[in-house]
Amino acid sequence: MSGAPVLALHGICKRFGAVQALTDIELEIHAGQVVALVGDNGAGKSTLLKAITGVGPADAGVIEWRGRPVRIQRPRDAQELGIAGVYQDLALCENLDVVGNLFLGHEITRAGVLDEIAMERRALELEPLAILAKHPPSVRVPVATLSAGQRQSVAIGRAILSRPELLVLDEPTAALGIEQTAQFLDLIDRLRDRGTAIMLISHNLGDVKAVADQAAVLRHGRNNGFFDVPSTTHEQIVSSITGATDNAVTQRTTKPWEDML
Amino acid sequence: MKGADAPGDAGGAKAAGRPAEATRAAVRRGGGPGDPGRPGLRRGLRSLRDRLRSGRLGALPVVVSLLVTWIVFQSLNHNFLSPRNLSDICVDIVGPGLVAVGIVFVLLLGEVDLSVGSVSGLTAAIFAVMYVNHGVPEWLAIVSALLTGAAIGSLQGFLFARVGVPAFVVTLAGLLAWNGLMLYVLGASGTIDLGNHGLVAELSGRYLHSAVLAYGLAALGTGIYFVMTYRDNRARTRAGMAALPMWEIAERTAGIAVPSFAAAWVLEDFRGVPLALLVFLAFVVGLDFVLRRTTYGRRILAIGGDAEAARRSGINVVWTRVSAFAMSGTLAAIGGLFLTSRVASVGQTSGSTTLLINAIAAAIIGGVSLFGGRGTTWSALLGILVIQSIASGMVLIGLQTAVQYMVTGGVLLGAVILDSLSRRSQKVHGRA
């Protein structure tokens, strides 16, 4: 993990009207690292993710890409840097088929005409579609016909199709079954080994424990601690999420975490 | 449908939730290998029934309405299906049909453009004033008319997409304003006669009377379709992907060949192929290609499906929306020139609201969804054919415009109800 981080955030702020959603967020992620972004509902995780992918640009703060300050104002800006995202609501066009969704925004063309065959071939080679879909559906059916898990696979497939350097995932396992989740976590491991930086938002601390190297906790739109995941217990993270550690009294009365296990 | 409810699938389709539907679709797409032995006809019926049940109607409703319209009017008046009348219908559909093709682009976004009637009237007036009153070269007058249409469309598109005014209101204002501007441009004279000379006058009066040409075009169209489908299919098979079974290619080709040759035969029997119809067909085919096979078309469909998802995938939603409105304005101008050509004049009633209503109705009757994301330019062609057939039939049997409006209104309502029902059914079957 030497050299400049793939992405570094300094003092990121975002406001929605009277609500200060993010305040002075600091975050770094290196190539080949999985950083879990955890926090309670409304902590600002998804907002931060959208600031990174350009879907909802930050109001203030500095974003550095490989050590250079960059501006991410539109989704296109993030894509050009090599950032791809899977959103909580998946953001798929239900009227288009699977291939159409996978390649939306970066279609393969030949002489200005969509090269459907080339796109379909690449779609069929795509890991998530092959391993995540229990009953692999035809890649030519509209996304509207797919189950929630299949849609999630499509969204994940679309994100990794562009071979991003930074992959940001918002609750990617929410609609997946147990077996599929395991396969997905394997996929994350493989992507990390290839040097992809991965930022993962998850409510499932089991998933976080399983794949993340670091956990960044957000609370009320602010940083609330960084943890080295392998050497941190579940409970330490939870208490940071809930703010239990803020309180001197709770800290005093709580037993050491190890005892509770 | 009665016959299709045959045994073999007892209750399965009804109980089938989403997964079964999806797998079935997959199997159908997968074609041959799954069930090689089944005869084509039964399979076709089965797939048709699946489609109807799940609300994916495609061009079926409009084709049925067209056939019903024709049968009804033919039984009321034997001149209805005469080559002369059909040929006239073929020329009459061109003006409103082109306007409808433009509307398709906006409807695909899930929006509506109410200004197209007024825009076509205004641009026609600009053309006539420049060409007839001021002696400007005709090509320059035509280009000015088209650019005006494009500019108006872009302006309205900008106000909608960038400023955020609802398209309905922007174009409603346009409906009034551009009609007013047309009256102003026409000035005191009110009506401008085009005379019989010039390109625009020729547009709808020119027939290409040559059997070779008529049948040649029918053969060419069918041939190109077949070759393209076949080649695409072969490439898919080579790449090891699911391809259409041969019988389906044959079936589809026949679906193109029959109407093409029938049209060639009928038109040849009267005065030949109308030039206007060829231009219209060229637009329909060309823009269908743009919508289905280019990145641009894919973006329009994506925005119509889910604008936010399209934006997140990096599509420039504002620009695409503006361009679709520009397309609508330009085609309104082109349609306006054909309408002008048909009556050889521009007057205060040019670009009436009837034109607007017919154009929108045509697109919707033809199967373009009001909810966006579904439809093709062929919808505009088929829809306007229904509307113009009704209009022509009413004139033939001596009924007044009053009845004609009521019938067309009924057909339109039927189309919208069908659209809503099919959408609901698609939701139930997990298809929308």
Side-chain angles (χ1 to χ4, degrees):
Chain A
M1 313 232 165
S2 56
V6 172
L7 182 85
L9 306 176
H10 301 295
I12 296 293
C13 295
K14 174 85 182 174
R15 173 182 279 282
F16 294 111
V19 180
Q20 187 74 36
L22 296 175
T23 312
D24 294 332
I25 298 293
E26 304 282 324
L27 197 67
E28 280 188 1
I29 181 165
H30 289 81
Q33 193 183 28
V34 179
V35 173
L37 202 55
V38 293
D40 208 350
N41 285 349
K45 307 180 299 277
S46 294
T47 307
L48 183 59
L49 180 144
K50 286 177 180 172
I52 295 171
T53 56
V55 167
D59 300 332
V62 177
I63 300 178
E64 281 179 13
W65 182 258
R66 299 196 175 286
R68 279 186 313 113
V70 289
R71 284 166 58 84
I72 301 178
Q73 292 296 324
R74 304 170 301 159
R76 199 45 127 190
D77 296 340
Q79 285 173 4
E80 279 164 7
L81 290 174
I83 301 174
V86 174
Y87 304 95
Q88 205 166 4
D89 56 9
L90 303 184
L92 300 172
C93 291
E94 301 209 334
N95 59 331
L96 299 184
D97 62 20
V98 174
V99 177
N101 270 288
L102 287 172
F103 287 89
L104 192 60
H106 43 262
E107 293 86 355
I108 301 177
T109 57
R110 212 168 55 182
V113 179
L114 296 176
D115 191 344
E116 297 283 359
I117 292 177
M119 287 195 274
E120 188 166 333
R121 190 182 303 140
R122 274 200 65 190
L124 292 172
E125 288 165 359
L126 218 56
E127 257 176 308
L129 290 188
I131 64 169
L132 292 176
K134 257 188 178 166
H135 303 285
S138 161
V139 289
R140 285 300 177 188
V141 296
V143 162
T145 62
L146 301 184
S147 70
Q150 289 168 335
R151 287 178 198 214
Q152 193 126 39
S153 313
V154 174
I156 295 167
R158 179 167 79 182
I160 69 165
L161 183 72
S162 54
R163 300 186 186 284
E165 292 180 60
L166 171 64
L167 183 61
V168 276
L169 305 161
D170 195 350
E171 297 287 358
T173 57
L176 299 183
I178 295 171
E179 192 186 330
Q180 291 164 308
T181 302
Q183 288 170 332
F184 170 74
L185 297 177
D186 288 345
L187 174 68
I188 296 283
D189 277 336
R190 280 198 299 279
L191 289 171
R192 174 196 12 220
D193 294 344
R194 280 185 226 156
T196 312
I198 296 163
M199 195 178 285
L200 172 75
I201 294 182
S202 185
H203 267 105
N204 187 333
L205 289 182
D207 291 356
V208 172
K209 265 302 224 190
V211 290
D213 302 308
Q214 276 215 315
V217 180
L218 292 189
R219 185 167 153 74
H220 299 324
R222 292 171 186 275
N223 284 111
N224 201 35
F226 295 92
F227 297 91
D228 178 50
V229 172
S231 64
T232 311
T233 63
H234 216 95
E235 287 73 14
Q236 274 173 298
I237 298 176
V238 171
S239 62
S240 178
I241 291 172
T242 57
T245 48
D246 290 350
N247 187 323
V249 179
T250 49
Q251 250 177 356
R252 198 182 61 83
T253 52
T254 348
K255 292 176 182 172
W257 299 113
E258 284 74 14
D259 293 357
M260 293 177 71
L261 287 175
Chain B
M1 275 312 291
K2 254 180 278 162
D5 243 331
D9 191 36
K14 226 168 210 149
R18 185 186 297 125
E21 262 297 321
T23 16
R24 184 176 303 165
V27 167
R28 193 185 318 133
R29 264 290 179 191
D35 44 354
R38 190 176 303 164
L41 186 64
R42 229 184 103 190
R43 219 169 119 130
L45 277 177
R46 211 180 129 97
S47 110
L48 182 68
R49 185 188 52 181
D50 282 354
R51 287 179 62 114
L52 294 181
R53 280 247 171 90
S54 60
R56 289 164 301 139
L57 303 174
L60 193 70
V62 63
V63 171
V64 170
S65 355
L66 189 60
L67 291 179
V68 169
T69 312
W70 284 5
I71 291 167
V72 168
F73 283 118
Q74 177 65 14
S75 61
L76 292 174
N77 185 315
H78 289 296
N79 285 326
F80 183 76
L81 288 182
S82 68
R84 184 197 180 90
N85 195 47
L86 288 177
S87 177
D88 278 348
I89 291 178
C90 283
V91 181
D92 284 334
I93 60 170
V94 175
L98 284 166
V99 179
V101 169
I103 288 265
V104 168
F105 277 77
V106 175
L107 286 176
L108 281 177
L109 293 178
E111 303 297 333
V112 71
D113 185 347
L114 298 179
S115 72
V116 285
S118 299
V119 171
S120 85
L122 170 63
T123 51
I126 289 175
F127 162 76
V129 167
M130 285 178 77
Y131 174 52
V132 179
N133 292 6
H134 295 286
V136 174
E138 191 176 26
W139 66 267
L140 189 59
I142 292 177
V143 170
S144 310
L146 300 190
L147 287 180
T148 309
I152 290 175
S154 308
L155 173 68
Q156 294 180 154
F158 179 81
L159 289 174
F160 156 64
R162 185 77 209 172
V163 182
V165 191
F168 174 80
V169 181
V170 173
T171 58
L172 183 63
L175 167 86
L176 274 171
W178 309 125
N179 192 245
L181 185 58
M182 178 191 81
L183 296 178
Y184 179 80
V185 168
L186 284 175
S189 67
T191 304
I192 300 174
D193 273 322
L194 233 53
N196 283 327
H197 303 290
L199 181 63
V200 169
E202 282 273 289
L203 276 179
S204 60
R206 184 72 179 265
Y207 290 80
L208 308 170
H209 205 346
S210 146
V212 179
L213 182 86
Y215 292 109
L217 283 173
L220 189 70
T222 312
I224 288 178
Y225 177 81
F226 177 76
V227 170
M228 280 184 70
T229 318
Y230 182 75
R231 276 183 50 185
D232 184 61
N233 227 33
R234 211 178 43 182
R236 294 176 64 86
T237 317
R238 274 210 199 121
M241 287 182 283
L244 292 173
M246 205 54 205
W247 63 264
E248 201 169 332
I249 299 183
E251 201 178 85
R252 289 182 181 193
T253 308
I256 305 273
V258 171
S260 309
F261 280 97
W265 177 66
V266 168
L267 293 172
E268 205 40 44
D269 207 39
F270 182 55
R271 289 175 63 187
V273 183
L275 176 65
L277 182 66
L278 284 184
V279 175
F280 182 33
L281 284 175
F283 270 102
V284 170
V285 172
L287 293 176
D288 179 55
F289 187 83
V290 168
L291 283 177
R292 285 192 307 112
R293 305 295 291 268
T294 68
T295 315
Y296 174 69
R298 184 56 55 83
R299 288 179 185 161
I300 289 194
L301 287 170
I303 293 174
D306 190 331
E308 177 60 17
R311 186 177 79 86
R312 290 191 194 172
S313 55
I315 291 174
N316 189 335
V317 176
V318 170
W319 187 86
T320 310
R321 280 178 166 158
V322 170
S323 74
F325 276 86
M327 192 66 100
S328 167
T330 312
L331 279 159
I334 299 173
L337 290 179
F338 275 92
L339 285 162
T340 307
S341 163
R342 189 73 173 136
V343 292
S345 70
V346 178
Q348 295 187 334
T349 53
S350 295
S352 62
T353 36
T354 318
L355 169 62
L356 161 73
I357 291 161
N358 279 347
I360 294 183
I364 291 165
I365 290 173
V368 179
S369 175
L370 271 174
F371 305 101
R374 186 154 50 90
T376 73
T377 53
W378 289 99
S379 316
L381 171 71
L382 291 169
I384 198 66
L385 209 47
V386 172
I387 289 178
Q388 210 62 49
S389 298
I390 293 173
S392 159
M394 292 290 176
V395 173
L396 271 189
I397 59 177
L399 279 176
Q400 322 211 325
T401 13
V403 183
Q404 180 197 324
Y405 286 176
M406 286 190 274
V407 171
T408 312
V411 175
L412 174 61
L413 183 64
V416 178
I417 290 174
L418 210 57
D419 180 28
S420 305
L421 287 181
S422 92
R423 199 176 145 82
R424 203 166 71 183
S425 173
Q426 289 187 357
K427 274 218 172 93
V428 170
H429 287 80
R431 288 194 170 273

